[in-house]
Amino acid sequence: MMITTTVKQLNKKEEEIADALISLGISRPVAMALCYLQGVTEATTIELERRAGLRQPEVSIAMRELKELDWINEREEKKPGKGRPYKIYSLKIGFSEIVAQLEEQQKKVVDEALLKIERLKELGNIAPISS
């Protein structure tokens, strides 16, 4: 008996979300994983590989980054029979909260850049030293 599972692929909206995340400095694997996780209750590594188009090492790296940000939960589930348990991931916080955190980070970056520009304007107003 063969068990089949359906794994949905990225739609246009999710691709746009991934592109926006990448433009904000999120790595492609993390962006793709977030796109998948925000649309499901939970996902295995294999589902993330297939759905987000990532290789296994990319999934591991992305999940490590997302855990460091405290954005995901991770649990292990034992396979029937022999073999190592597999990991199941889910978002720990809502996608809107992730977006809010990214917005705060970007505001800080903009504020720091504006301060540097203001400082450059001040420095540029210093009278040149005549020789």
Side-chain angles (χ1 to χ4, degrees):
M1 179 169 102
M2 189 169 147
I3 299 171
T4 58
T5 57
T6 315
V7 180
K8 65 178 206 167
Q9 297 298 305
L10 281 180
N11 62 35
K12 233 172 180 22
K13 179 182 171 186
E14 290 166 326
E15 287 178 12
E16 192 174 340
I17 290 170
D19 290 344
L21 290 168
I22 291 166
S23 74
L24 293 173
I26 302 288
S27 72
R28 181 187 163 279
V30 170
M32 301 301 277
L34 274 175
C35 280
Y36 181 64
L37 288 170
Q38 63 97 24
V40 298
T41 307
E42 56 184 21
T44 66
T45 301
I46 292 170
E47 289 169 339
L48 282 161
E49 287 174 36
R50 291 180 184 156
R51 165 73 163 86
L54 300 172
R55 296 183 330 262
Q56 195 284 322
E58 292 176 311
V59 172
S60 295
I61 291 166
M63 294 302 101
R64 185 170 38 245
E65 286 182 37
L66 289 169
K67 277 184 5 189
E68 286 171 8
L69 291 166
D70 204 28
W71 289 354
I72 62 165
N73 291 312
E74 174 187 289
R75 67 181 174 87
E76 289 190 351
E77 198 164 287
K78 184 86 170 103
K79 290 181 181 176
K82 295 182 180 180
R84 292 174 34 186
Y86 57 96
K87 293 183 178 176
I88 298 175
Y89 303 98
S90 61
L91 286 183
K92 188 180 235 182
I93 61 175
F95 191 69
S96 59
E97 177 61 27
I98 291 170
V99 172
Q101 287 182 26
L102 292 171
E103 181 180 23
E104 274 306 306
Q105 289 172 0
Q106 291 302 310
K107 283 180 180 177
K108 286 178 186 173
V109 169
V110 169
D111 289 346
E112 288 171 12
L114 289 173
L115 285 172
K116 290 175 186 171
I117 289 169
E118 285 304 313
R119 182 65 182 143
L120 284 171
K121 286 178 182 176
E122 291 170 14
L123 293 169
N125 288 331
I126 297 173
I129 300 172
S130 51
S131 44

